[in-house]
Structure formats: C-alpha cells, structure tokens
Amino acid sequence: MNPGSCLVDDPGVANLQLLSHAEQQDILLLQQAILESVAQGHDPLDIINEVCCLEERLLPNAVGSVMLLDEDGKLNVYAAPSVPPEGVERLRLLCPGPNSGSCGNALYRGEPVFVSDTLTDPRWADLRDLAIDFNLLACWSMPIYGAGREIIGTFALSSFERRAPTEFHRKLLEIGASIIGIVLERRREADNLRLMAKVFENSNEGILVTDAQARIVSVNPAFVSMTGYSRDEALGQTPRLLASGIHDQVFYQHMWASLLEQGHWHGEIWNRRKNGEVFPEWLSLSAVHDHNGVLSHYVGLFFDLSERKAAEARAEYLIHHDPLTDLPNRLQAKNRLNEAIARRQDDGEGVALLYVDLDNFKTINDSLGQAMGDQLLKAAAQRMQTLLQSQEMLARHGADEFLLMVPHVREPRQLTELASLLLNAFAAPFDINGQQLHSTLSIGVALAPDDGDDYDALLQKAETAVRAAKEAGRNTFRFFTGQQGGQAAEQLLIRNGLHNALLRNEFILHYQPQLDLTTGRIVGAEALVRWLHPEQGMVPPGKFIPVAEESGLIVPIGEWVLHEACRQLAQWREEGLGDLVVAVNLSGVEFKRGNLVESVTHTLARTGLPATCLELELTESMLMHDVENVISTLQRLKALGVRLSIDDFGTGYSCLSYLTRFDVDTLKIDQSFVRQLHLGDQHAAIIRAVIQMAHSLDLATIAEGVEDAEVVAFLRAHACDQAQGYFFSKPLPAEDFARFVRQYRAVL
C-alpha cells in the first residue's frame, strides 16, 4: 500500500511513539497550527503555503513545494512560497519519468522518492542543471492522493545540503502530503468545517474541543477509545472529568497560565480512564480565537504514552540485565559490587567476586549450534541461581562467563564451600532438547579488601584466578595469589606494548632460507616476525604471539607481516635477487575472521608481487574447523595463484581423508620429528611416510629444523624436496638475507 493512501483520512499518522519527545512535540504543534488554520476558514492556498513554511521551519536550510498534475499529465508548481519565480518557471510542464527529479519520479513510480544527492543520483539526470543553478543538493518527494486514491500531485522538501531523511522527516512529508491532499480535495467546497470534521473524526490522537468556559462541546472517536467515556458522557463536562488526582493545584495553575498568556500549553500529564485506570499522555492545548480576536474555544490533542512508557521501562531493564538469562549484566554487577564494598564495615568482613567460566562451552556451541548453546547458558544460570542465598547476586559477564558477588564474607571457608557446591552441582548433565550435555565450571575467586577495593580491581584478580583454574585442568577453583598477579601483569604489559609496537613500527621480519635439496639452490624464505622493543630488546615470539592471539592483535600484526613480506620480496625481485617464494604464517584468528582472501588480494595489488611468489602456511588445527568454509577459502586463494602449505604436519589431526580435499601445495614436516631423527628408527619412519604420502598426492615436502649434514643426507636419500634450518642459516634480517643469498649463489 502506498504510504499516502492511508494518510488521506489520517493526517495524524500512526506510530508517533517511534519519535523523540521533541519530535513528537513538533509534529503535534504542526498539526495544531494546521487545524487552527482550517478551523478559522483560511483559503486553501494559504493553508498549503503555511504547510510548506511550517515544515521548512522544522527542516532548516530547505524549501517546500507542491506540484499538481494538469489535464495533460504534466506537473506544475501550485505552491512554493520560498522558491524564487525563476525556479518556479524552470519547473513548468515537468513530465513524470525515471530521470525527471524526485517529483517526476514520485509520479512515475507512484511511491515516495528520497534522493540524498541530486548531483550524482541518476533520477535527477534531466534536472541536473536546475539542481546546480539553485544549489538543490537533496530532494524528498511524497505523492499527494485525492479522495479516489488517485495521485494528483506531489509534496516535496528540497534541501541545500546533502542528507537522507530521518523517520521524523518522513513523518513531516507524510503529514504534509496527507493534509495537502485533503485541502486540495476540499478547495471547491464552501464549508471548510467539513474538512475540520474529517480530520477530527479520523485522527489517531484524541481530540476534545471546549467552549470559552472550558465545557466540552465535542470529542472525536479516538477520545472515546482512549478514555472509555462516550460522546454523550463527555459533552457538557469539563476536562476535570479525566483528572487522575496525581497532579497538585500548582500544576494546573501553571497549565492555565501558559494557555491564557501564550495561547498554548503542551506536556506530559497523567489522566484517568472511565474504568479508573490511570495512564500517561502527551497533551497539547491551544486557545482558538474568532475573526475578531475573541476567545471562542480550546482545542486539546493527546495520545496515550502507556506503550512508550512500558518500552522505556523494558529498555531500562535491559540496560541492567542480560536478555538471554534475565540475570543482572556486568553494569549492574559493577554497581552492586561497588555498593557492597562501600557498605562494608571495618569488622573483618569481606566482599568476594567469583568469576565463573563454563568449561567447553565453545565446543558445544560450535558443534550443536547457537540455539543449543543459548539453552545451555539459561539452564546453567538457573542451576546456579538455585544454590545462592538471597544477598548473593549472580550476573552474566558475557558469552559463557558469569560473575557471583558474595557480601559479608567472614572467612575464606565460606567461599570454598560455595565454590565446591557449584562444582558439585555441575556434575550432573543438562537435558537440553532431549540431549544430555555435560559442562563443568572453572572458578576464580578474589576478595575485597585484600585483592582490591573496587569492581575493576577485583574483576582483574578474579580473571587471573580463573585462568589458573583452567591451567589446573578445569572443573576446579582457585583463589587469587600474588604469583598469578605477576603473570597477569606481565601479560598486560605485553598487550599494551603490542599496541604501541604497531603504532611505532617496532616489528621487523627475519627471513630463513629454504633450499631445494636436489639442486642446492635457495628457492625461498620463511618470513618470521620479531619484536624489537626499545627497552627490552628482542622479545621472543613465544612470549608475545600467544598474547597477540588472545587479544586479537594478531590480526593487525598479521596484516603488517603479510604486507611487509610481499613488499620486501617485490623489492628483491627488482634488485635482481631472483625468483624466490616467501612463506608467511597465518594465525587461526586471521583465517577465521572472514576477509583473508580480500586482504591477500589487496596486499598483492599494492606491492605488485606476483601471487605465485607468495606461500601461506596454515596449521592442521586451523583447517579442521568448519571444513566446508575452509575448503571454499582455500579454493579462492588458489584461484589467485597463491601457494599453500600445511605447517607442522604430523603434530595435529593428520586426517588423510580431509587432506585429499584441501587444495594445498606443500606439507611441512615438523621440526620435532626432524631434530629427533637420530634418536631412532621411529622418527625416521614417520618422515619417510610423510614424504611418500605427500608425493603420492602430488604434494611437495619441506623439512624444518635441519641442523646437521647427517639429516640433510637422510632427507635427500628419501627424496624430500626442500629443507630449512640452522644447518643452512638462522633467520636473518632483510639486508643480511639478501647478502647471504648473493654469497651463496656465488659459491654455488
């Protein structure tokens, strides 16, 4: 249904409650002003000009216009009080069509048209010169409908700045077009009171009209529906009929003072329905004077705020509660815990915060789906709630994490007993939609004032303690200790340092040569990231990479590594270093984030490196998660021409049935097998099996961690394709690597 088609009989327009208080007020005042003009019998053209001017005030830096269809089906300006005559002339005999501006399109399409940029939108192609000459940068047009639901013209707001309409602006257009349509249809009628009656009867807002002595002389159907009083019951009464008893005499004195002195009053008020129910409403009152300026009537418009108040109450609830479990959220937990600490007396009592983590939840959520995961979270919350005392508060911290606040702790034994109670309760499985799901808890405990005197301090300590519980094997609890705090502090320093490292360009790449075991030539290099800290020197990768992955910083670091490795190899190619392949390790976090292919494509385009010179190294564990999406991603990377290898092969799942589905080029034999080759035949057999299997699948092999000539001889004897390790060279900075390659080739 076209929006205007239902507005001819409904200029009030429903759903004003979607707007802000100020916007609702503006809409009501707009309607009130128009109703006053209609009631006073103004000329239809004057009313329409007034509509344009009123809406221009509500949309600064814009002009309103009304165009009507003539007998030949062309548009001409009927009212445009703020448009210069030359602009009106340029719009004469406008033919509706797909390129004839917003109004021409509104007629052509039979629907509202909102153009936010007239200088680029194709719908303004035929009127581009007009837009440029008069600086019309945006134009929104609404069809005007006649009584027979036929389109008779358009109402438009044209802006001198680029912008798209808000819900408020759409309501302005809808109301303007609706009322203009009514006025136009009634302009041939002598009695404008019929128009007033139509608006009056069909408005969604309650309307009451009183005489000068405030006796009700008319009410509309919406008034009857909202208050429960029939028309006959209301006539002759005063508005005190609806008084709720909530407001005092001063409130009404101020209302009447404003009405008498300024001619209007608007605001929120509580009234009472016939059945005794008290309800909130937004009320706008206006004094109406006759042609001689004598007060003749008062007009009141109001709408019920009950639903909006309920929505506000719900919103307020959701600000402090988790919508899934109905538990208090972290904001509420913070407030309650800080209040409990503030109330704590210096009598030896403490306030505890327990950080409760649902073990193995991610596995359940990933394998059975989010719906099952949500059901498990709700069941877990309910089970914990049944164990708590009234003064204890359980809150949802996020994902599968909960916070438990315990006031009045006199001795740690209380917390030990509570934690044990929780752990024992989770020994029994959960019955979720007929499936038996098992999940245990890891609990970290921090106590105020010993571990901190506010929420943030206790949360940090409790998080540290829960990590210790997980490291201890899960399904247990740990109190915070100073040693844990030291480890957490070190991780925090590393995390903060990583942020600065990205900003200060503290990362560098070292390159470890990769050799072809048949020819002895250097055919590539593995790019390895290093962190050169300005104070601590070279930070080991094993120290900062796990923190980067846990914090998500591995994503921007990985993007930097990819770009720098490609840029460096492109530079070496220009310098004549030859056709090398650079191998870049990918983190599981990077692979799962969804835009890896786009990132690689963008990097290759920026650096100019051929895709065949880039090899991406993935681990087995990365490939085994969400296999179908993994296969799709690998296929898209291969389509670019990028080479793919599986790193640390043999240490993960090593599922051959999946391996045949992955479109990879190389298997990289993990250094743990290579370095232990001398320990016995078992390791040698594993390496031989990997090489034979790879070759049977038409895959190349590369051994890492090669440190002596005996291993090199073994690998060559069993047809391993490539190798890297300290026997050839340690990872080198870029300049040293280039020098090493040139010297090596000179000797070779």
Side-chain angles (χ1 to χ4, degrees), residues 408 531 570 659 697:
H408 312 302
W531 179 12
L659 183 60
L697 296 174

Side-chain angles (χ1 to χ4, degrees), residues 176 224 226 251 264 329 366 433 449 573 576 619 701 722:
V224 174
M226 287 188 211
F251 175 87
H264 61 83
N329 60 15
D366 290 346
N433 295 337
R573 287 170 58 84
T619 64
T701 55
Q722 297 177 23

Side-chain angles (χ1 to χ4, degrees), residues 515-520 709 711-720 728 744:
L515 281 79
D516 186 307
L517 290 176
T518 302
T519 65
V711 172
V712 174
F714 175 87
L715 294 172
R716 281 177 174 156
H718 292 88
C720 182
F728 307 107
Y744 187 89

Side-chain angles (χ1 to χ4, degrees), residues 138-401:
C139 184
W140 315 325
S141 182
M142 183 73 64
I144 299 173
Y145 293 84
R149 300 299 188 265
E150 76 281 9
I151 298 178
I152 61 175
T154 62
F155 173 53
L157 289 173
S158 303
S159 173
F160 302 122
E161 60 186 76
R162 294 180 181 85
R163 54 186 171 188
T166 65
E167 183 67 23
F168 174 62
H169 300 145
R170 293 173 186 263
K171 292 297 180 189
L172 288 179
L173 280 167
E174 291 174 2
I175 292 172
S178 175
I179 294 181
I180 290 169
I182 295 173
V183 172
L184 289 171
E185 282 300 310
R186 302 300 185 269
R187 63 182 169 177
R188 292 182 301 270
E189 300 176 7
D191 189 1
N192 285 312
L193 290 177
R194 293 179 58 191
L195 171 61
M196 177 63 183
K198 191 71 172 177
V199 174
F200 185 82
E201 289 297 317
N202 291 280
S203 176
N204 284 331
E205 284 74 50
I207 302 176
L208 63 85
V209 181
T210 76
D211 59 18
Q213 286 72 44
R215 291 187 297 265
I216 299 174
V217 297
S218 185
V219 296
N220 72 338
F223 173 96
V224 174
S225 175
M226 287 188 211
T227 66
Y229 288 101
S230 68
R231 183 176 182 275
D232 291 339
E233 289 173 322
L235 295 183
Q237 300 285 341
T238 69
R240 286 194 295 272
L241 173 72
L242 305 175
S244 64
I246 293 177
H247 305 289
D248 57 20
Q249 192 64 30
V250 175
F251 175 87
Y252 292 107
Q253 288 173 353
H254 288 162
M255 175 193 293
W256 279 101
S258 175
L259 192 58
L260 294 173
E261 295 171 7
Q262 303 176 30
H264 61 83
W265 179 90
H266 54 264
E268 188 174 308
I269 186 172
W270 288 82
N271 273 336
R272 187 182 300 276
R273 307 186 208 273
K274 182 180 178 180
N275 63 8
E277 178 188 353
V278 174
F279 70 102
E281 68 179 44
W282 185 263
L283 173 64
S284 178
L285 296 173
S286 295
V288 180
H289 299 78
D290 62 19
H291 294 294
N292 298 318
V294 177
L295 176 68
S296 61
H297 297 85
Y298 294 106
V299 177
L301 282 82
F302 65 93
F303 59 84
D304 193 338
L305 294 176
S306 299
E307 290 186 7
R308 200 194 72 194
K309 290 288 187 181
E312 288 176 351
R314 177 63 178 166
E316 178 66 21
Y317 179 84
L318 291 177
I319 290 174
H320 296 96
H321 290 80
D322 169 53
L324 177 65
T325 62
D326 274 336
L327 292 176
N329 60 15
R330 66 178 70 184
L331 176 62
Q332 180 78 333
K334 180 175 183 176
N335 293 338
R336 290 279 298 276
L337 183 67
N338 283 334
E339 289 172 3
I341 294 174
R343 290 195 304 267
R344 188 187 67 83
Q345 302 296 321
D346 190 15
D347 56 3
E349 282 193 352
V351 178
L353 180 64
L354 278 66
Y355 195 111
V356 183
D357 190 286
L358 213 57
D359 295 330
N360 304 317
F361 174 77
K362 187 177 185 303
T363 301
I364 295 173
N365 201 54
D366 290 346
S367 58
L368 299 180
Q370 183 177 343
M372 288 288 282
D374 287 348
Q375 292 300 313
L376 176 60
L377 287 171
K378 292 170 66 174
Q382 292 169 2
R383 185 173 292 186
M384 284 188 279
Q385 279 280 70
T386 61
L387 304 175
L388 304 182
Q389 302 294 325
S390 59
Q391 72 273 20
E392 298 167 348
M393 185 191 73
L394 182 68
R396 188 178 179 199
H397 184 59
D400 57 344
E401 301 157 340

Side-chain angles (χ1 to χ4, degrees), residues 586-589 591-592 617-626 630 653:
L586 288 180
S587 162
V589 179
F591 194 78
K592 294 174 185 176
E617 295 190 359
L618 312 101
T619 64
E620 292 176 86
S621 57
M622 289 166 53
L623 300 177
M624 299 307 297
H625 179 76
D626 197 5
V630 167
Y653 292 91

